[in-house]
Amino acid sequence: MGRTATIDPNNPDALLLREAAQLLRDGRLVAFPTETVYGLGANGLDSEAVGRIYEAKGRPNTNPVILHVSSTAQAKELVAAWPEEADLLAEAFWPGPLTMVLPKGSHVPEIVTAGGPTVAIRFPAHPVARALIEATGLPLAAPSANRSSEISPTRAEHVAKSLGDRIDLILDAGPTSMGIESTVIDLSKEPFRILRFGPLVPEQLKALLKREILWNSAAEVPSEILASPGMLRKHYSPHTATLLIDRVGEFEKFIDRISARERIGYLLRTWNIDPEVENGKILMPTGAAEYAERLYDALHRLDSMELDTIIVEMPPDSEEWLAVRDRLTRAAAK
Ligand code: TXA
Ligand code: MG
């Protein structure tokens, strides 16, 4: 079992960082917090170390990983081309929850990009992530620190439960603040395309770049972008069957179909349904950012209750809820 070490997010312990950085330089795996979710880090320039990430997660080798940097200058060293739009986005949103896909530099290992011509790069804002990248002096490959296709971790306990026996060190800085994975935008070809919805909504990117950006909803993923498996329909899934309900009126219909002996859990936001059920009911915040912050922790909790079905009140169909609706849609995909 790997060790979990507590680290102060605002004033990370230098000795602990040095130890973590040494592990990473030695090709080992270290889980660390970012402002979105916990990442499973390895030296992004070492193919063998990145191979250990794939092995630990059980991740298909067709799914590329993100390289994390601690400056825009470091990002530029990893790419073959850096368009003007990348500068605009970096100035506006880095450090932060934005991942940019760009033509890969020749020294970026094939395993990082799953053999493809592009590399995904993010400069995270979390002080521990930044300090750790700086301490190693390396770009860190870091997918979310969960087994492949499971719910992403927003707490160190989630990491320990899913991967604890497969990693060398978990840096525990408490729950992450944004709660869902970064927005991914592909700038490697025009028109630009959002590959994954996240904390930054499309309107923010469009307003800055002053141009059209394409994206697809979780329900209609075209085959040409299945190359980015974050777009796979089944992803971020609890083990428990999950049903999404758009209108409270549909609830009765669903409940009729469920057998009387089933244990049902609820992820609710505004509805007050099935009042007899006390445990297994989680009431979520009404605002999109606060909801996102708590979403995975709520799913982790419901998933550990040995329920037969999780019923989810779908939040509104508006732009600010795109990322949350996307994750819920994937969580419910069979
Ligand atoms: O917030 C985040 O992005 C977290 C934290 C740890 O930084 N990381 C994360 O990594 O969510 P991961 O591996 O779980 O998701 C990365 C997503 C996947 O959907 C992957 O397919 C996509 O980014 N991706 C990575 N490299 C790509 C590339 N070169 N082209 C297209 N998509 C890429
Ligand atoms: Mg992931």
Side-chain angles (χ1 to χ4, degrees):
M1 196 74 179
R3 180 165 66 101
T4 296
T6 307
I7 189 160
D8 183 340
N10 302 310
N11 184 18
D13 181 66
L15 215 63
L16 182 53
L17 283 173
R18 218 188 300 159
E19 183 195 342
Q22 189 57 50
L23 283 168
L24 289 163
R25 278 194 297 267
D26 290 343
R28 315 307 311 173
L29 303 183
V30 175
F32 62 92
T34 80
E35 69 278 25
T36 57
V37 300
Y38 275 76
L40 178 56
N43 176 354
L45 299 180
D46 176 346
S47 299
E48 268 180 47
V50 178
R52 288 190 189 105
I53 291 181
Y54 282 86
E55 208 176 300
K57 281 181 64 88
R59 184 176 178 109
N61 62 10
T62 49
N63 190 357
V65 295
I66 299 171
L67 291 182
H68 294 68
V69 296
S70 57
S71 70
T72 300
Q74 192 185 9
K76 291 182 182 178
E77 289 168 13
L78 300 168
V79 301
W82 182 268
E84 192 186 328
E85 289 85 356
D87 263 330
L88 288 176
L89 290 170
E91 274 163 32
F93 300 118
W94 275 3
L98 179 71
T99 297
M100 296 196 246
V101 172
L102 292 159
K104 91 186 238 322
S106 54
H107 62 297
V108 173
E110 296 272 303
I111 189 169
V112 167
T113 66
T118 60
V119 62
I121 307 178
R122 175 158 111 83
F123 176 0
H126 196 292
V128 172
R130 292 177 68 166
L132 184 62
I133 299 163
E134 268 164 27
T136 57
L138 294 163
L140 296 184
S144 52
N146 53 280
R147 298 223 187 156
S148 196
S149 95
E150 293 185 350
I151 310 165
S152 294
T154 56
R155 294 173 178 271
E157 301 91 281
H158 301 156
V159 182
K161 199 166 162 197
S162 177
L163 291 170
D165 54 345
R166 297 168 178 222
I167 48 190
D168 299 289
L169 179 64
I170 301 171
L171 296 177
D172 178 0
T176 62
S177 62
M178 292 185 163
I180 53 170
E181 304 84 348
S182 61
T183 303
V184 180
I185 183 167
D186 185 354
L187 304 178
S188 71
K189 52 183 176 296
E190 301 199 32
F192 298 155
R193 184 185 282 273
I194 293 175
L195 298 180
R196 180 173 70 186
F197 298 118
L200 298 174
V201 299
E203 198 46 56
Q204 286 173 281
L205 306 178
K206 267 182 10 197
L208 183 84
L209 298 179
K210 300 194 178 59
R211 61 152 91 203
E212 219 33 53
I213 298 173
L214 306 181
W215 67 79
N216 298 89
S217 74
E220 32 138 62
V221 181
S223 56
E224 83 231 42
I225 59 164
L226 272 181
S228 182
M231 300 301 277
L232 286 177
R233 283 195 56 204
K234 186 174 169 59
H235 212 89
Y236 318 107
S237 298
H239 297 285
T240 316
T242 303
L243 288 176
L244 311 178
I245 306 192
D246 272 306
R247 283 185 306 277
V248 69
E250 292 167 15
F251 171 70
E252 293 299 327
K253 258 190 341 215
F254 272 103
I255 205 76
D256 286 349
R257 276 193 252 155
I258 289 170
S259 91
R261 296 226 297 274
E262 268 185 49
R263 278 173 49 90
I264 300 180
Y266 293 94
L267 193 66
L268 301 175
R269 186 172 151 268
T270 61
W271 302 342
N272 177 18
I273 52 179
D274 214 358
E276 313 79 271
V277 175
E278 278 176 32
N279 297 324
K281 213 178 220 187
I282 296 181
L283 188 62
M284 297 294 283
T286 52
E290 297 76 19
Y291 188 111
E293 180 184 340
R294 287 174 45 190
L295 172 61
Y296 288 150
D297 190 48
L299 288 177
H300 277 285
R301 273 160 54 208
L302 288 168
D303 206 25
S304 67
M305 289 178 192
E306 289 170 22
L307 302 164
D308 297 299
T309 305
I310 298 170
I311 288 183
V312 179
E313 171 187 348
M314 256 322 228
D317 189 3
S318 62
E319 178 147 335
E320 59 170 340
W321 288 97
L322 264 176
V324 164
R325 287 177 62 95
D326 170 81
R327 299 307 189 278
L328 288 170
T329 302
R330 291 171 205 282
K334 300 265 161 21

